[in-house]
Amino acid sequence: MFWALIITATIVAVSGLALKFVVPRFLKESDWHISWREFFAGLLTAYIVAIPLVFGVGKALSTSDAVRYEEFYNGVETSATSSVEDCRAGTSGFSQFSGHSNCSFEYRTGETYTWTETYYVSVETCDSNNDCTSRQESRTREVTDYIYNPYATKEYSYAITDSLGETYNFPGSYVKDGEGYEGGELAADLPRGDPKQWLKSQTRLKEGNPRPVTRLFSYGNYILASEDDMLTPYSEDVEQYLEKEILPVHTADIQTEPLYGFNESYADKVSFVGVEVSDEAVWQDALMSFNAALGSKLRGDLHLVLIDASLVSSPTNYLNALKAYWLSEDFGRRAIAKNAIIVIAGVRGDTVDWGIASTGMPFGNEVMLRGIQNFLPDTPMDPAQVIGTPHTVVPLAEDSEAQVTLSESPGVLEQMVLRDFPFERACMDCVEEDGEIGYADLVAEIEPEPWQFAIMVSLVGLLSLFWWYNAGCYEFFNWLPGSRERQTKKGTSDESYGSYRLGSTIEERRRNLRRRKTYPY
């Protein structure tokens, strides 16, 4: 930033000098002129106003963009709602819409009605000199349209809402058998009954077992934006692990489109590296349910790697390499987030041989991480025993908190993360004081990208050129003493000089008299 400011200040000064000495050479018959006092006044204005303003706003905008990353929020469905529309037939009226039904599905009857349409035409008129002008004139005409009847007496719409504030509206409308308009038959291709996914959601909610959901939201990550080497992990083992193909991505298809399934609210966050299980979907569903509880209560997001223990000689080195990879530029804005918990389980046979964990932050939750490392070994390879089966329900009442019920025999992660040593989400905007870890001071270290610097420097340069050119034309600084010293050639009377200065045309003379300028010899 310092050198950008120096370069900008130099460009401003050079542009002012160029205008002062170069422009008058090309405008010899003009009274355009910048005196030294005006030059320094403009320079001071640029240094005090233009440069701080442009760089201040530019840095704020670039910082806002640089800190924007994405993290997963987790929750559950909260409601499955429906609405009904009573259908009516079209009628005679005064517009093209009067004859249509208020519902989506309709058919044309044999009845017609007439309405008056207003439209506009372009009318051109020409005078004797063949100078033509055009104008818009309104016209009216009678239009005959058909009247339509609805197929059904009622149409239904459906929606599902989750605890993350998202509402999914099922596309289109639905009808139900036995509700034909005036006892008529429903067309065969009309969507009938309640949508299957909506019925399943309603059933789950009635049973108190809502479906877990996950979605991506933006947040500010000052650590990754500042590229602080002391806070971002580095491992020289990343390349060799990538060559061995044992470093998975933290979420399946995270670099393209990780969300899939009904309403794009599922994501696979369990990675299998050299490990085969009877049903991978069971593990994914178990972690989705676990994250629903973790996200609803503590706003966390856990990612689990199950790896063949024989593929890793040092669990610590592997964890460091995995975390460095997940926080690298390979994932862009979707690098592993600050609310993430990274758990690696080394599997040997049907049990966990070793476990190790970290978070998406450089500090925090050390006791929880140590508990995971101590209690994961010797756990049978069963999702209920490794992950757990917490139950989450979010009441419909406004401002109500999620109700998370832990299982009677909790899994290791459920016990460590949700019960014994609850996960604490890091505060990125906190200031480091009173023993609390904060990262707000890193904002000052975030520098704009080179192309953003180039835009700011160019903008200040253009503003300076515009400022000085107009200052020379319109005397922005004529209030400064000596800003327009009257200069005449030796032996030339002021009157004769003035006649030349006023210009050769009446309009030029009037303009120059208004400006009351002198020609700078």
Side-chain angles (χ1 to χ4, degrees), residues 216-249:
L216 283 167
F217 288 82
S218 295
Y219 78 105
N221 193 318
Y222 305 151
I223 297 174
L224 295 180
S226 67
E227 300 180 354
D228 191 314
D229 294 336
M230 299 297 293
L231 297 176
T232 52
Y234 169 78
S235 173
E236 59 185 12
D237 298 323
V238 172
E239 293 300 326
Q240 66 165 336
Y241 284 137
L242 285 175
E243 290 178 1
K244 294 179 181 179
E245 297 183 348
I246 60 174
L247 280 186
V249 295

Side-chain angles (χ1 to χ4, degrees), residues 72 214 251-252 258-260 265-270 284 287-288:
F72 282 102
T214 186
T251 305
L259 298 173
Y260 70 97
S265 57
Y266 288 102
D268 293 338
K269 301 175 186 178
V270 181
Q284 301 292 358
L287 187 55
M288 279 286 296

Side-chain angles (χ1 to χ4, degrees), residues 78-210:
T78 55
S79 66
T81 58
S82 64
S83 59
V84 60
E85 177 82 11
D86 292 322
C87 300
R88 59 169 178 76
T91 58
S92 300
F94 303 99
S95 73
Q96 59 180 323
F97 305 106
S98 301
H100 288 272
S101 169
N102 63 314
C103 287
S104 302
F105 306 119
E106 60 182 4
Y107 63 92
R108 192 175 71 183
T109 68
E111 300 180 41
T112 60
Y113 73 104
T114 302
W115 57 282
T116 302
E117 180 185 30
T118 300
Y119 65 98
Y120 293 87
V121 296
S122 179
V123 178
E124 188 177 79
T125 57
C126 301
D127 58 18
S128 58
N129 295 326
N130 205 29
D131 292 329
C132 300
T133 59
S134 63
R135 67 181 186 278
Q136 296 290 319
E137 289 187 356
S138 62
R139 301 280 192 274
T140 59
R141 61 188 173 196
E142 299 296 315
V143 179
T144 300
D145 272 336
Y146 285 96
I147 293 178
Y148 290 77
N149 282 348
Y151 275 106
T153 58
K154 300 178 186 295
E155 287 185 1
Y156 301 85
S157 301
Y158 300 87
I160 294 177
T161 302
D162 59 44
S163 60
L164 303 179
E166 297 291 324
T167 297
Y168 172 70
N169 295 294
F170 286 80
S173 301
Y174 294 77
V175 298
K176 293 185 178 181
D177 289 326
E179 295 184 353
Y181 185 73
E182 295 182 343
E185 294 292 330
L186 295 173
D189 58 345
L190 297 183
R192 286 174 165 77
D194 301 324
K196 292 182 179 179
Q197 291 288 1
W198 184 86
L199 282 174
K200 290 179 180 179
S201 176
Q202 189 181 56
T203 301
R204 288 191 298 264
L205 288 167
K206 288 180 178 179
E207 295 174 349
N209 187 32

